[in-house]
Amino acid sequence: MTAAVIVAAGRGTRAGPGLPKQWRSLGGRALLAWPLDTFRAHPRIDRVVLVLHPDDMGVAAGYAAHPDVDVAEGGETRQASVRAGLEALDAGGADRVLIHDVARPLVDAALIDRVIDALDDAQGAAPALPVVDALWEGDGGKVGAIRDRTGLYRAQTPQGFHLGVILDAHRAHPGGASDDVAVAQSAGIGIEIVRGSETNFKITEPEDFARAEAILEHRMDIRTGTGFDVHAFGPGDFVTLCGIPIPHDRGLLGHSDADVALHALADAIYGALAEGDIGRHFPPSDPQWRGTASHVFLEHAAGLAAQEGLSISNVDLTLICEEPKITPHARDMIERVAHILDLSERRVSVKATTSEGLGFTGRREGIAAMASVTLVSR
Ligand SMILES: Nc1ccn([C@@H]2O[C@H](COP(=O)(O)OP(=O)(O)OP(=O)(O)O)[C@@H](O)[C@H]2O)c(=O)n1
Ligand SMILES: C[C@](O)(CO)[C@H](O)COP(=O)(O)O
């Protein structure tokens, strides 16, 4: 069972006068409602502990009135508030916990997935973004020493851990840690970095509200696309589907590696972007694409989506053929597509059907593939 602890007991002093930032309006409702809803709606989060300032218990009643939400009273520091949330979770049956700042209201489901996925192999995982700007030390308003930014990251939340391990680390820590990764590190826990998100920034200064409002205004950009492709059988002893070579008594004919599955997926993304199809970007008349491994097309399509500020929410692929049998290879295909698209495997569907012996697929003349994708603004 995976739980989330959302720490919301700070006073938001840097965000300017008025209510503490978690109670101020963002997109027409309290800021706190955004991350709370995102975690509650996430299919892999079973329970949420909301850590609140003692003065806010009354205000919070409406937000906490759900069977999957518990409330804990926060402490003087972020670290004390996290500890209170973890203690409230202990004995509740959770074995993994994601610790999140309420002050990062625009966290998204795909980022949460990346943290949870990384916990399969790591004791701790946290999102971060590489530092892309030059780093200077200030020296009385002038540029002082120039620091090397190589290998530096900007840390975000949610930071995810196995519950027993992080709770023990917090209990043993003297205090003063900047975040839970720092607490974990002091206990020798290894932390995997997963890709963060620019929209998952922390509301700290007054102007950060305007930035979050602007993102929310454009956030509802959701696009769907469909792709369809067919390749005929020809001589050979294997077919390549989703990048996986599958033994067969025939091969597939094509200009590239004839991976009909990845072609349908790439076309679905191009379709969602109104960017034509593979042929427009990689003309079959151009000899340089002969024999190309089709992940190149899919990566290109996904790259165009990223350039438009869109991320892939899910993909759904159906292969239509009598032979070869797809099901024994479906897991490998899902893994491969998830890897190419840097997507959780839970957001990739690969399935197959026969055409009941009818038509060209029924006559075993080739394989057809159809795909749909959903792109969402980041
Ligand atoms: N005693 C505290 C202090 C901070 N936090 C939470 O920890 C996160 C840290 O983000 P930050 O921007 O430092 O929040 P504040 O402490 O509220 O802001 P400020 O430092 O400007 O007062 C926030 O979600 C905040 O609510 C908390 O739960 N308990
Ligand atoms: C935990 C954190 O969000 C990681 O970036 C951050 O350190 C918390 O905010 P603060 O301003 O350091 O309190």
Side-chain angles (χ1 to χ4, degrees):
M1 179 171 131
T2 304
V5 168
I6 302 180
V7 283
R11 295 295 78 188
T13 47
R14 286 170 291 174
L19 290 172
K21 57 192 173 188
Q22 56 272 39
W23 303 115
R24 281 167 56 183
S25 172
L26 176 64
R29 58 197 191 134
L31 180 152
L32 172 140
W34 292 96
L36 180 61
D37 280 2
T38 302
F39 278 95
R40 287 194 60 229
H42 197 287
R44 298 163 81 188
I45 299 290
D46 305 290
R47 196 169 157 215
V48 177
V49 175
L50 197 51
V51 184
L52 297 170
H53 192 278
D55 294 351
D56 295 346
M57 291 299 176
V59 198
Y63 298 97
H66 303 284
D68 56 337
V69 178
D70 294 310
V71 171
E73 198 171 292
E76 284 294 312
T77 61
R78 181 186 185 281
Q79 190 174 343
S81 295
V82 172
R83 166 93 182 264
L86 294 176
E87 297 287 359
L89 262 185
D90 196 22
D95 52 0
R96 293 166 176 211
V97 60
L98 269 56
I99 303 166
H100 187 64
D101 290 341
V102 75
R104 297 182 187 273
L106 303 185
V107 60
D108 63 78
L111 190 154
I112 293 171
D113 272 329
R114 289 198 287 279
V115 176
I116 296 176
D117 285 346
L119 288 178
D120 286 345
D121 300 315
Q123 288 190 304
L129 289 171
V131 171
V132 291
D133 298 315
L135 287 180
W136 302 334
E137 264 184 31
D139 184 4
K142 293 199 165 57
V143 176
I146 295 178
R147 295 289 170 202
D148 184 7
R149 71 192 126 156
T150 315
L152 293 185
Y153 285 84
R154 293 179 284 142
Q156 299 188 337
T157 66
Q159 300 179 351
F161 306 91
H162 294 265
L163 177 59
V165 167
I166 190 65
L167 186 51
D168 286 348
H170 265 273
R171 285 174 179 162
H173 198 279
S178 55
D179 63 8
D180 307 293
V181 162
V183 173
Q185 262 201 341
S186 69
I189 300 169
I191 313 291
E192 184 165 326
I193 297 175
V194 303
R195 182 163 47 85
S197 151
E198 287 294 352
T199 52
N200 185 33
F201 68 94
K202 184 159 72 68
I203 297 216
T204 306
E205 308 286 341
E207 58 271 23
D208 293 334
F209 274 92
R211 183 175 165 205
E213 291 283 1
I215 291 170
L216 280 174
E217 236 170 66
H218 294 98
R219 195 172 201 177
M220 288 307 144
D221 191 357
I222 298 174
R223 308 193 203 173
T224 57
T226 60
F228 180 75
D229 195 27
V230 174
H231 279 265
F233 285 128
D237 55 8
F238 73 97
V239 297
T240 302
L241 296 174
C242 293
I244 307 294
I246 297 172
H248 190 49
D249 56 5
R250 325 228 34 215
L252 286 173
L253 297 174
H255 182 69
S256 63
D257 63 0
D259 189 331
V260 65
L262 293 192
H263 295 181
L265 281 170
D267 275 351
I269 297 174
Y270 289 128
L273 297 171
E275 273 286 344
D277 59 12
I278 295 179
R280 177 158 136 198
H281 299 276
F282 300 90
S285 51
D286 187 338
Q288 69 170 308
W289 307 122
R290 183 173 297 284
T292 300
S294 294
H295 66 84
V296 170
F297 309 143
L298 190 56
E299 282 159 0
H300 176 263
L304 285 188
Q307 276 171 31
E308 288 214 23
L310 295 161
S311 58
I312 298 167
S313 178
N314 76 302
V315 302
D316 182 18
L317 174 76
T318 305
L319 285 153
I320 306 159
C321 58
E322 306 290 325
E323 296 285 347
K325 293 297 170 211
I326 301 301
T327 311
H329 307 282
R331 176 56 28 210
D332 288 346
M333 291 158 76
I334 288 170
E335 271 177 28
R336 181 78 185 119
V337 170
H339 178 75
I340 295 169
L341 295 175
D342 194 10
L343 203 59
S344 164
E345 288 172 25
R346 297 174 58 89
R347 291 172 179 270
V348 176
S349 152
V350 173
K351 55 197 193 300
T353 183
T354 70
S355 52
E356 302 288 342
L358 300 173
F360 68 88
T361 51
R363 291 190 299 274
R364 298 165 197 255
E365 292 167 5
I367 299 181
M370 49 190 276
S372 60
V373 305
T374 305
L375 306 181
V376 292
S377 43
R378 297 192 284 174

